[in-house]
Amino acid sequence: MGRALAAGTVAALALTGCLGPAGSARVASADASGDGTLRIGLILDNTGKQNFLNASELAAAKLAVKEINAAGGHKGKPVELLPETISTDTAAQAKALVAAKADVVIGPTDSSRAPAAIDVLANAKVAVISPANTAAALSNYKSGGYYFRTSAADIAQASVLAKLVKDGGARTLAVLHEEGDYGKDVAAAVGGAAKQSGLEVVADAEFTPGQAQQAVAAAKAANPDAAILVSRDGAQGAIAELNNAGLAGKKLVLSDGAVSKYGAGLGARALEGARGILPGVFPSAAFQADLVAVDPGLKDMVFAAETYDAVVLAAVAAAAAEDDAGTSIAASLVAVSGGTAAAGGTGAGGSQPPSVSCTSYKDCVGVLRAGQRPDYDGQSGRINFDAHGDITESNYMVSTYGEDNLPTVDGTEAASSSGG
């Protein structure tokens, strides 16, 4: 998830010979060095009100490993999913997984804990694929090419937010954003996307959670046709102020952090007609059924698709490299995702064979056996890692609020990872 990175946590990790100036260099191909058994570890770091996310990620990982092993595993041997723990001590989890001989680790969920995981795992040459990290700063974190994520950076939503405003008939726009990296980064990206789509941003105001009155007053004074709220912790209070100012309802579009089931927490019909977005795709009925078969008590499937895809991609990368070592997996991930790496790195260019789309581990292995390059498109959509290890296309579910201040998913949108 996109909790802001703490000050100092984006310091560089120096791995000799692997890093470019922005941390985006990819791992070069290496001689096989694995022990023949592909071991996948999980970092589950959700506690408190977010602890429900652990179950969805664990069920998705178990489902992926089950299907991989049903298709023959890695080089004829079962893939191992290492025993999971739940802890906010990410560095300790990472060290334990290194000791357990993990080749690739799925996680963490919280962006603020990613640096601790990367520092330990990349140094041990273990590939890291987060299904949920969204902080924009992680795109340039110096991992030596061992870090990837199957969820989009926060700024990717900017073009979708601008599109929803324009689709609503607005020509002028006010942006209200909560203080902090999330608010500033997304608001800046929204400004760029609005300009590209022909919208005029007439106000851009920052507020502190619980103190949105002044920012809303500035937005109202600009008399915009519509408003975008980029917020997390302070969203409910800001919406109440926007409603009082006549800028809620159909005039309002909410960023992913501001979307919630507000119900009676807001005034009657305060959000009726407002729109909001959440990242990802709605799980298919078949995927939901498969997940519930793994965990009959599963009720929420947030990040399940992204976790499932991370595990499958790791196994496909190992199959393509014919090696289970973390370095080989990291070197192959860009290519098997259908993406391209930076000049000088490995990826889909150069002497790579033609790519063929595949949607399961079994099908991707079949593509490899045919002498072609698999391009895995999974439950979360197209992946196509870029030189930063980011997906290049992201999907969003669009919801419209009813008179009960509750959102109903009624559409989908796609965006590039650039936020523009």
Side-chain angles (χ1 to χ4, degrees):
M1 298 176 70
R3 186 181 299 174
L5 298 181
T9 59
V10 293
L13 169 65
L15 295 178
T16 304
C18 294
L19 297 179
S24 61
R26 293 292 95 196
V27 175
S29 298
D31 292 336
S33 58
D35 62 7
T37 299
L38 175 59
R39 297 179 183 88
I40 298 174
L42 294 175
I43 289 182
L44 300 178
D45 58 340
N46 297 293
T47 56
K49 66 179 182 180
Q50 300 294 338
N51 63 2
F52 68 92
L53 295 172
N54 297 319
S56 61
E57 293 176 18
L58 181 57
K62 287 181 175 179
L63 174 62
V65 169
K66 177 183 176 182
E67 293 181 354
I68 291 165
N69 287 337
H74 174 66
K75 300 178 77 171
K77 295 179 64 176
V79 172
E80 294 183 6
L81 183 63
L82 297 174
E84 76 281 358
T85 60
I86 298 172
S87 171
T88 56
D89 190 342
T90 307
Q93 282 183 295
K95 290 174 183 176
L97 290 168
V98 171
K101 298 183 179 180
D103 301 300
V104 59
V105 169
I106 311 304
T109 303
D110 196 315
S111 292
S112 68
R113 298 193 180 105
I118 296 168
D119 287 357
V120 172
L121 295 168
N123 187 59
K125 299 183 178 180
V126 176
V128 187
I129 312 174
S130 172
N133 290 168
T134 60
L138 290 172
S139 292
N140 291 315
Y141 192 83
K142 293 186 177 180
S143 73
Y146 283 89
Y147 175 71
F148 301 79
R149 49 182 167 175
T150 49
S151 56
D154 291 319
I155 60 171
Q157 66 186 289
S159 62
V160 175
L161 295 172
K163 182 178 185 298
L164 292 179
V165 167
K166 188 167 185 178
D167 288 350
R171 294 184 178 180
T172 59
L173 166 68
V175 180
L176 289 89
H177 69 270
E178 187 174 309
E179 65 177 5
D181 291 342
Y182 171 78
K184 292 177 181 178
D185 290 345
V186 177
V190 165
K195 183 177 181 180
Q196 289 181 11
S197 61
L199 291 167
E200 179 184 1
V201 178
V202 294
D204 184 355
E206 182 178 84
F207 67 93
T208 301
Q211 300 179 28
Q213 301 93 329
Q214 187 174 349
V216 171
K220 182 179 180 180
N223 194 31
D225 296 331
I228 290 177
L229 175 63
V230 183
S231 178
R232 283 188 174 136
D233 296 337
Q236 183 166 322
I239 293 170
E241 294 291 343
L242 286 163
N243 185 43
N244 292 336
L247 291 176
K250 292 182 178 179
K251 290 186 176 183
L252 183 60
V253 175
L254 304 179
S255 72
D256 62 353
V259 171
S260 183
K261 298 178 180 180
Y262 291 102
L266 291 171
R269 309 179 83 162
L271 280 174
E272 185 178 11
R275 288 151 295 163
I277 64 173
L278 287 174
V281 295
F282 197 76
S284 67
F287 186 51
Q288 291 185 60
D290 289 341
L291 288 168
V292 171
V294 172
D295 180 0
L298 190 63
K299 296 181 180 179
D300 199 300
M301 299 182 184
V302 178
F303 299 130
E306 290 81 1
T307 302
Y308 175 92
D309 287 346
V311 175
V312 173
L313 275 166
V316 174
E322 297 185 2
D323 183 39
D324 54 273
T327 298
S328 295
I329 292 170
S332 299
L333 274 168
V334 172
V336 301
S337 74
T340 56
T346 59
S351 61
Q352 289 286 345
S355 66
V356 176
S357 178
C358 51
T359 57
S360 70
Y361 176 75
K362 181 179 180 180
D363 288 346
C364 290
V365 169
V367 171
L368 285 168
R369 288 172 177 165
Q372 298 172 306
R373 177 169 59 91
D375 173 359
Y376 176 71
D377 297 325
Q379 293 292 338
S380 63
R382 298 182 67 187
I383 310 294
N384 294 21
F385 287 131
D386 64 13
H388 298 277
D390 287 337
I391 60 174
T392 53
E393 182 177 298
S394 52
N395 296 292
Y396 293 88
M397 295 176 285
V398 180
S399 294
T400 300
Y401 279 83
E403 61 183 19
D404 55 2
N405 296 328
L406 299 177
T408 299
V409 176
D410 55 8
T412 59
E413 294 285 350
S416 71
S417 62
S418 66

